Amino acid sequence: RQVTVQRKEKDFQGMLEYHKEDEVLLIRNLVTDLKPQMLSGTVPCLPAYILYMCIRHADYTSDDLKVHSLLTSTINGIKKVLKKHNDDFEMTSFWLSNTCRLLHCLKQYSGDEGFMTQNTAKQNEHCLKNFDLTEYRQVLSDLSIQIYQQLIKIAEGLLQPMIVSAMLENESIQGLSGVKPMGYRKRSSSMEGGENSYCLEAIIRQMNSFHTVMCDQGLDPEIILQVFKQLFYMINAVTLNNLLLRKDVCSWSTGMQLRYNISQLEEWLRGRNLQQSGAVETMEPLIQAAQLLQLKKKTQEDAEAICSLCTSLSTQQIVKILNLYTPLNEFEERVTVSFIRTIQAQLQERSDPQQLLLDFKHMFPVLFPFNPSSLTMDSIHIPACLNLEFLNEV
Amino acid sequence: SSQRPRPRVLLKAPTLAEMEEMNTSEEEESP
């Protein structure tokens, strides 16, 4: 795997030349038929660098048709792979990393001074000489957005079936099962384990897997942060929506378990150095719902405490949770109608959204900040396993 | 001066949707 194509060290200027008729083979071997595993142990985003070196040679020879053709075939090749692997997280993440890296290369080596501030003198020698590829950068940026959306869709599809049981039904706090609301003990089969039951550990395992894949593939750290913010938002929305519709989980004990689960997720973010992602902030409505379940709900002071605490929940959501709240035992009282009226009166000034449930399919807009690479083109080795021996190093 | 870089020629690119359209019609044409 480590065998490299022979090259003359002193002559290599970081460009790759190929015959026009080999473009099909290049795209097949480097894009459509490539398995990300083949490149483990090599520089992350190697296909992007190879493609840039090919573009650079076509630019060097002022062959605009070759640049057009290569970029078009590359983009169509990537789209073809994504269509074929539309449920494959690893493949989608791999092409997101590479598409973004190619986009960064086209900026870093554009000759535009704004993108060259971190370049070494050697890297400046590797800039494009003849063509301005601004319009192709826009196409690659649009493609990156499409790939990001596919990646989120795949990740959400894997996480979603776990959320309700892991966040609301599974009991990991010892002794808590004895304090479930009356009449709801051993209520549903999903609470007793079985095929559709997951614990929080399953969610964390899955997120570990996503994180490891994206890091190994050299996906930009800023994009990884945005992926987890999006996924945490979805966990928040699905969990809160279920809480708002299910009496059996609106209890003190679920509030306690939920708060514990959220703290585990926060701990996971810290452990992976993802706390600046804004992921925890997206969980705020759920954090407040968990606290609402645990607060006292009797006196005027209790009502004031609830109103000052639950700023990320709408009045409608607070009232719904209070209405659904189920006492633990015969010693705990239901929330009284007058208490709910007190809350409503205190919150009447708020301009809340009208809908009760959160839009769990909502997507935050994604940003791809420019991330230049410190790598120099002439240091890149092409592994023999890529079967690209028809590329001549120039 | 001779050090000043030559202006680069802007290569016009189709949009992503146009590219897809071209690609689809090419696929349809080929047997």
Coordinates of all heavy atoms in Angstrom, one line a residue, chain A residues 299-328:
Chain A
T299 N -47.1 26.4 44.5 CA -47.3 27.8 45.0 C -47.0 28.8 44.0 O -46.5 28.5 42.9 CB -46.3 28.0 46.2 OG1 -45.0 28.0 45.7 CG2 -46.5 27.0 47.3
Q300 N -47.4 30.1 44.3 CA -47.1 31.2 43.5 C -45.6 31.3 43.2 O -45.2 31.6 42.0 CB -47.5 32.5 44.2 CG -47.2 33.8 43.5 CD -48.1 34.0 42.3 OE1 -49.2 33.5 42.2 NE2 -47.6 34.8 41.3
E301 N -44.8 31.0 44.2 CA -43.3 31.1 44.1 C -42.8 30.0 43.1 O -41.9 30.2 42.2 CB -42.6 30.9 45.4 CG -42.7 32.0 46.4 CD -44.0 32.1 47.0 OE1 -44.7 31.1 47.3 OE2 -44.5 33.3 47.2
D302 N -43.5 28.8 43.1 CA -43.1 27.7 42.2 C -43.4 28.2 40.8 O -42.6 28.0 39.8 CB -44.0 26.5 42.5 CG -43.7 25.9 43.9 OD1 -42.6 26.2 44.4 OD2 -44.5 25.1 44.3
A303 N -44.6 28.9 40.6 CA -45.0 29.3 39.3 C -44.0 30.3 38.7 O -43.6 30.3 37.6 CB -46.4 30.0 39.3
E304 N -43.5 31.2 39.6 CA -42.5 32.2 39.2 C -41.2 31.6 38.8 O -40.6 32.0 37.8 CB -42.3 33.3 40.3 CG -43.4 34.3 40.4 CD -43.4 35.1 41.7 OE1 -42.4 35.1 42.4 OE2 -44.5 35.7 41.9
A305 N -40.8 30.6 39.6 CA -39.6 29.9 39.3 C -39.7 29.2 38.0 O -38.7 29.2 37.1 CB -39.3 28.8 40.4
I306 N -40.8 28.6 37.7 CA -41.0 27.9 36.4 C -40.9 28.9 35.2 O -40.2 28.7 34.2 CB -42.3 27.1 36.4 CG1 -42.2 25.9 37.3 CG2 -42.8 26.7 35.0 CD1 -43.5 25.1 37.5
C307 N -41.6 30.0 35.4 CA -41.6 31.0 34.3 C -40.2 31.6 34.1 O -39.9 31.9 32.9 CB -42.6 32.1 34.7 SG -44.3 31.5 34.7
S308 N -39.5 31.8 35.1 CA -38.1 32.4 34.9 C -37.2 31.4 34.4 O -36.2 31.7 33.7 CB -37.6 33.1 36.1 OG -37.5 32.1 37.2
L309 N -37.4 30.1 34.6 CA -36.5 29.0 34.2 C -36.8 28.6 32.7 O -35.8 28.5 31.9 CB -36.6 27.8 35.1 CG -35.7 26.7 34.7 CD1 -34.4 26.8 35.4 CD2 -36.3 25.3 35.0
C310 N -38.1 28.5 32.4 CA -38.4 27.9 31.1 C -38.5 28.9 30.0 O -39.6 29.1 29.3 CB -39.7 27.1 31.2 SG -39.6 25.7 32.4
T311 N -37.4 29.5 29.7 CA -37.4 30.6 28.6 C -37.3 30.0 27.2 O -37.7 30.7 26.2 CB -36.2 31.5 28.9 OG1 -35.1 30.7 29.0 CG2 -36.4 32.4 30.1
S312 N -36.9 28.8 27.1 CA -36.8 28.2 25.7 C -38.0 27.3 25.4 O -38.0 26.7 24.3 CB -35.5 27.3 25.6 OG -34.4 28.1 25.8
L313 N -38.9 27.2 26.3 CA -40.1 26.5 26.0 C -41.3 27.5 25.8 O -41.3 28.6 26.5 CB -40.5 25.6 27.2 CG -39.6 24.4 27.5 CD1 -40.0 23.7 28.8 CD2 -39.7 23.4 26.3
S314 N -42.2 27.2 24.9 CA -43.3 28.2 24.7 C -44.3 27.9 25.8 O -44.3 26.9 26.5 CB -43.9 27.9 23.4 OG -44.6 26.6 23.3
T315 N -45.2 28.9 26.0 CA -46.3 28.8 27.0 C -47.1 27.5 26.7 O -47.4 26.7 27.7 CB -47.2 30.0 26.9 OG1 -46.4 31.2 27.0 CG2 -48.2 30.0 28.1
Q316 N -47.4 27.3 25.5 CA -48.1 26.1 25.1 C -47.4 24.8 25.5 O -48.1 23.9 26.0 CB -48.3 26.2 23.6 CG -49.5 25.4 23.0 CD -49.5 25.3 21.5 OE1 -48.7 25.9 20.8 NE2 -50.4 24.6 21.0
Q317 N -46.1 24.8 25.3 CA -45.4 23.6 25.7 C -45.3 23.4 27.2 O -45.5 22.3 27.7 CB -44.0 23.7 25.1 CG -43.9 23.5 23.6 CD -42.6 23.9 23.0 OE1 -41.8 24.7 23.6 NE2 -42.3 23.3 21.9
I318 N -45.1 24.5 28.0 CA -45.1 24.4 29.4 C -46.4 23.9 29.9 O -46.5 23.0 30.8 CB -44.8 25.8 30.0 CG1 -43.3 26.3 29.6 CG2 -44.9 25.8 31.6 CD1 -43.0 27.7 30.0
V319 N -47.5 24.5 29.4 CA -48.9 24.2 29.9 C -49.2 22.7 29.6 O -49.7 21.9 30.4 CB -49.9 25.1 29.3 CG1 -51.3 24.6 29.5 CG2 -49.8 26.5 29.9
K320 N -48.7 22.3 28.4 CA -49.0 20.9 28.0 C -48.3 19.9 28.9 O -48.8 18.9 29.3 CB -48.5 20.7 26.5 CG -48.6 19.3 25.9 CD -50.1 19.1 25.5 CE -50.2 17.7 24.8 NZ -51.5 17.4 24.5
I321 N -47.0 20.2 29.2 CA -46.3 19.3 30.1 C -46.9 19.3 31.5 O -47.1 18.3 32.1 CB -44.8 19.7 30.2 CG1 -44.1 19.5 28.8 CG2 -44.0 19.0 31.3 CD1 -42.7 20.0 28.7
L322 N -47.4 20.5 32.0 CA -48.0 20.5 33.3 C -49.3 19.7 33.3 O -49.7 19.0 34.2 CB -48.3 22.0 33.7 CG -47.0 22.8 34.0 CD1 -47.4 24.3 34.3 CD2 -46.3 22.3 35.2
N323 N -50.1 19.8 32.2 CA -51.3 19.1 32.1 C -51.1 17.6 32.0 O -51.9 16.8 32.5 CB -52.1 19.5 30.8 CG -53.0 20.7 31.1 OD1 -53.7 20.7 32.1 ND2 -53.0 21.6 30.1
L324 N -50.0 17.2 31.4 CA -49.7 15.8 31.2 C -49.0 15.2 32.5 O -48.9 14.0 32.6 CB -48.8 15.5 30.0 CG -49.3 15.7 28.6 CD1 -48.2 15.5 27.6 CD2 -50.5 14.7 28.4
Y325 N -48.5 16.1 33.3 CA -47.7 15.6 34.4 C -48.4 14.6 35.3 O -49.6 14.8 35.7 CB -47.3 16.8 35.3 CG -46.3 16.4 36.4 CD1 -45.0 16.1 36.1 CD2 -46.8 16.1 37.7 CE1 -44.1 15.7 37.1 CE2 -45.9 15.7 38.7 CZ -44.6 15.4 38.4 OH -43.8 15.0 39.4
T326 N -47.8 13.5 35.5 CA -48.4 12.4 36.2 C -47.7 12.2 37.6 O -46.5 12.0 37.6 CB -48.3 11.1 35.4 OG1 -48.7 11.4 34.0 CG2 -49.1 10.0 35.9
P327 N -48.5 12.2 38.7 CA -47.9 12.1 40.0 C -47.3 10.7 40.1 O -47.7 9.7 39.5 CB -49.1 12.2 40.9 CG -50.2 12.8 40.1 CD -49.9 12.4 38.7
L328 N -46.2 10.6 41.0 CA -45.5 9.4 41.2 C -46.3 8.4 42.0 O -46.3 7.2 41.8 CB -44.2 9.7 42.0 CG -43.1 10.4 41.2 CD1 -42.0 10.8 42.1 CD2 -42.6 9.5 40.1

